[in-house]
Amino acid sequence: QVQLVESGGGLVQPGGSLRLSCATSGIIFSMNAMSWYRQGPGKQRELVASITSGGGTNYADSVKGRFTISRDNTKNTVYLQMNSLKPEDTAVYYCKSRRFREYWGRGTQVTVSS
């Protein structure tokens, strides 16, 4: 059974930092591309960052220089380090795995507010 479980969300002030984790099971993690998406209030889900099985990364323009995606194949976990957070980063953050098919987690809420 495939499971992707996000954690690390919460309430943070503008300018603050959070580190999201997505722990996976039931997939060959090292062979999967992993991505973080987010869906803000009243908005469509959008790609935030992705990392290939080989470690290549890609970021949305809105988060470049502030967010860093990384993976630990020994822990079957992908991370999203988020710095200099802005109110517009408020969203539910989801992780996704992709190899022959896609799997999604249930998301973790990030709220950036003073």
Side-chain angles (χ1 to χ4, degrees):
Q1 181 181 1
V2 176
Q3 287 191 315
L4 282 69
V5 181
E6 301 95 337
S7 62
L11 173 64
V12 63
Q13 292 188 341
S17 298
L18 283 175
R19 188 195 194 203
L20 305 184
S21 300
C22 174
T24 72
S25 60
I27 61 172
I28 304 175
F29 180 79
S30 62
M31 301 187 75
N32 276 259
M34 301 298 299
S35 301
W36 285 96
Y37 284 74
R38 67 185 180 187
Q39 187 165 14
K43 298 181 180 179
Q44 291 189 328
R45 192 173 295 190
E46 63 175 354
L47 176 66
V48 175
S50 60
I51 185 166
T52 68
S53 57
T57 58
N58 184 55
Y59 297 92
D61 287 343
S62 59
V63 307
K64 280 181 181 176
R66 301 189 297 123
F67 291 10
T68 302
I69 188 170
S70 61
R71 64 190 298 157
D72 186 339
N73 289 345
T74 67
K75 296 182 178 179
N76 296 336
T77 299
V78 63
Y79 304 97
L80 186 68
Q81 178 66 44
M82 305 187 295
N83 299 328
S84 302
L85 283 160
K86 305 175 181 179
E88 51 264 43
D89 294 319
T90 294
V92 178
Y93 284 72
Y94 301 89
C95 70
K96 185 188 81 173
S97 68
R98 178 176 60 84
R99 188 186 176 198
F100 300 121
R101 58 181 294 181
E102 297 180 349
Y103 296 97
W104 291 83
R106 294 189 174 187
T108 185
Q109 176 70 47
V110 172
T111 302
V112 184
S113 175
S114 55

